[in-house]
Amino acid sequence: MSQPPVIAAESDSLSRRQIVFLVAALVFSLMSFSLNATMLSPAVRDINETLGPGAFVAMSTPFYLAGAIANVVLIRWSDYIGRKRVLIGILIVLCVGTVLCLSTSLPLVVAGRFLQGTSNITYGLAFLILRARLSGATFGVCCGVMASINGGVAGGDAFLAGIMTDAFGYRSIFALILAVGIVAVVFAWRWVPTDDATARARGRMDWIGAVFIALAVTGITLFLSNGGHAGWTSGPALVWIVVTVVCLVALLIVDKRVNHPLVAVAHMRSREAWPLLLVTVLVMGSFMVVLGFIVPSMAEDPDSGFGLNATMTAALFLTPGAIVQVLTAPFVGRLAVRIGFVTVLRAGIAATIVVVALMAIFAEHQYAVMALMVVFGFTCTAVILTPLSSLGVLQASDEEPGALPGIANASYGIGFSLGFAWAGPMVGSGTDSTFQAAFWTCVGIGIVALAFSLVLRPKPVVSEVGGHADSTTPRT
């Protein structure tokens, strides 16, 4: 069966200078979100001591929930009103949320984290903007640069967060994030090209479908959150899973009755889409929990861990791997263009399984875990995240380019919720074998992720002329 042409730049449509400023604008936009995730890791203990036990997890759930909802709705909306409008709007929302996070009230902080979480869509928007403007090796390198922000800013953010937390408290981190958010708004307004109106989707946004899919994503996330803490058969968990099922059925009904559905169910059923979503959830629910929760908790635990402060945790366990990611991710992106993004993804998952297994074996040895976290910075945050961040765009339907990226990015939030659901109670139990068991759990989930990555079928790369693969077009 013939495939429709890939909607992507056949050659770079911007000058070198314009590309530099565009990438700078997108980097600041991505930083405004990623700093919210990476910089708080060294502040886990300070947040819990200031706002109350379990405050860090309580803040994390709405943060990733908002990101999941925003991704499935707002990225698709950008098909209709333009990427730049949605990008600037969401950066303003992030700034408002960050102001709320400066409060001493946990409910206000939770509300602020929810607003901040909507900025998760900056990743999907950034890759869509790059795909429309860049091609070939340029696209691959820029994808690597964008993906490298996932692990922090050259590792300096985690180290700086540790120093700021020890000296001024965790609120100083939010003050810095607010400043970055304001810069991101200015840069996006000035340097992100205005969308061509002729390239926007025709018809109207399916807001009914948007409500149902937002409720379904909420149901999945809160089912995982409640199930992990109150039990999988508890009342709240059962209520949310019922809400999820009902909303998904309603979404399928709406999908058949509207001309431009929010989600193209036919495409989501293909091996080019659904395995990607599962792989994303499983990777986030295992490997990224190692980086964002398990290792920082182990480093700071005075009884079962190493008893370090926030500064030393960042300096020894988080910063080195983040530096490795920033240095290697652009090269990984360029390699992915040559040999295929799916191929690189599979290799990264396989290698990271080995690294995390070694962490489980040497969990009681501080220097061994430190060294393995450096390797982890390459195998996971560079080799996995670079293709994973791009595949939502590369595997998307040509008719609805914002649908799969939105759902794929929402899977990040669902995956993190899954990770906190199982890792929160396990790591919080505080026994000597706690962290070792957590690492082995990550290995098991990672093996399942690898299996589904083998099911994932790369989308055929077809140029607009002659129907043959074009060397300027990224390979999946």
Side-chain angles (χ1 to χ4, degrees):
M1 182 175 63
S2 62
Q3 297 288 335
V6 174
I7 301 176
E10 292 297 324
S11 60
D12 298 343
S13 61
L14 303 175
S15 67
R16 186 179 298 272
R17 177 176 179 274
Q18 289 173 317
I19 291 174
V20 169
F21 281 109
L22 169 61
V23 170
L26 296 178
V27 164
F28 275 110
S29 299
L30 269 56
M31 282 174 54
S32 65
F33 167 77
S34 66
L35 294 181
N36 280 287
T38 60
M39 291 195 74
L40 292 184
S41 294
V44 172
R45 184 169 59 186
D46 186 51
I47 290 172
N48 288 337
E49 289 177 352
T50 304
L51 296 176
F56 182 80
V57 174
M59 292 164 53
S60 299
T61 298
F63 179 76
Y64 293 110
L65 171 61
I69 294 173
N71 272 299
V72 297
V73 175
L74 298 183
I75 290 185
R76 183 73 173 102
W77 192 30
S78 74
D79 283 347
Y80 295 91
I81 69 170
R83 318 291 184 204
K84 183 174 182 176
R85 288 184 181 180
V86 175
L87 177 63
I88 293 176
I90 214 66
L91 289 173
I92 293 173
V93 171
L94 174 136
C95 291
V96 173
T98 305
V99 171
L100 293 180
C101 287
L102 296 172
S103 169
T104 57
S105 167
L106 180 58
L108 281 179
V109 173
V110 169
R113 289 293 281 169
F114 184 87
L115 294 179
Q116 285 183 323
T118 59
S119 63
N120 189 307
I121 71 169
T122 54
Y123 280 93
L125 292 173
F127 286 107
L128 284 167
I129 291 169
L130 290 176
R131 183 89 194 280
R133 303 281 179 175
L134 306 179
S135 64
T138 305
F139 175 81
V141 170
C142 290
C143 281
V145 172
M146 298 296 107
S148 69
I149 306 301
N150 257 335
V153 185
D157 57 328
F159 181 68
L160 178 62
I163 296 175
M164 293 172 65
T165 300
D166 289 336
F168 307 109
Y170 76 89
R171 291 187 188 86
S172 61
I173 296 174
F174 288 122
L176 176 61
I177 291 171
L178 178 60
V180 173
I182 294 172
V183 172
V185 171
V186 175
F187 270 60
W189 174 79
R190 178 66 180 86
W191 294 110
V192 174
T194 302
D195 306 272
D196 185 352
T198 60
R200 297 177 188 172
R202 299 176 181 177
R204 293 185 296 178
M205 174 74 172
D206 175 20
W207 287 110
I208 297 177
V211 170
F212 284 129
I213 197 168
L215 289 174
V217 168
T218 301
I220 294 173
T221 305
L222 294 182
F223 165 72
L224 294 172
S225 177
N226 285 280
H229 296 280
W232 301 107
T233 59
S234 64
L238 294 177
V239 167
W240 285 115
I241 197 63
V242 169
V243 169
T244 300
V245 173
V246 170
C247 290
L248 288 176
V249 171
L251 181 65
L252 292 175
I253 295 173
V254 171
D255 180 81
K256 296 178 180 179
R257 298 188 177 186
V258 298
N259 294 327
H260 303 282
L262 184 78
V263 178
V265 175
H267 178 66
M268 296 300 164
R269 287 200 300 260
S270 76
R271 285 178 53 196
E272 297 173 6
W274 68 264
L276 174 63
L277 304 180
L278 286 179
V279 170
T280 302
V281 170
L282 295 171
V283 166
M284 293 300 111
S286 57
F287 300 147
M288 294 310 293
V289 176
V290 169
L291 178 66
F293 184 58
I294 298 175
V295 167
S297 297
M298 180 172 67
E300 296 184 1
D301 191 309
D303 300 318
S304 302
F306 305 132
L308 303 175
N309 60 22
T311 301
M312 293 305 296
T313 296
L316 299 179
F317 292 93
L318 304 179
T319 300
I323 294 174
V324 169
Q325 182 197 15
V326 170
L327 294 176
T328 59
F331 298 99
V332 172
R334 185 160 187 169
L335 176 65
V337 170
R338 291 179 175 273
I339 69 173
F341 283 74
V342 174
T343 300
V344 173
L345 173 65
R346 292 167 180 165
I349 294 174
T352 304
I353 290 172
V354 175
V355 172
V356 178
L358 291 173
M359 288 185 189
I361 294 172
F362 297 103
E364 297 180 358
H365 302 275
Q366 177 177 333
Y367 294 109
V369 176
M370 287 167 49
L372 288 168
M373 283 299 291
V374 176
V375 182
F376 184 91
F378 175 69
T379 64
C380 181
T381 57
V383 181
I384 292 180
L385 291 188
T386 297
L388 195 63
S389 301
S390 311
L391 281 170
V393 173
L394 296 174
Q395 299 280 106
S397 164
D398 297 322
E399 292 78 15
E400 298 171 340
L404 182 60
I407 298 177
N409 284 1
S411 300
Y412 281 76
I414 294 173
F416 270 112
S417 297
L418 171 64
F420 282 115
W422 69 261
M426 183 180 293
V427 171
S429 61
T431 65
D432 291 338
S433 61
T434 288
F435 299 108
Q436 192 173 39
F439 286 132
W440 283 121
T441 302
C442 290
V443 169
I445 299 174
I447 291 173
V448 178
L450 178 60
F452 281 112
S453 74
L454 297 175
V455 178
L456 177 62
R457 181 176 62 200
K459 180 181 176 183
V461 178
V462 183
S463 69
E464 294 188 2
V465 180
H468 298 289
D470 188 301
S471 60
T472 65
T473 306
R475 294 181 59 191
T476 54

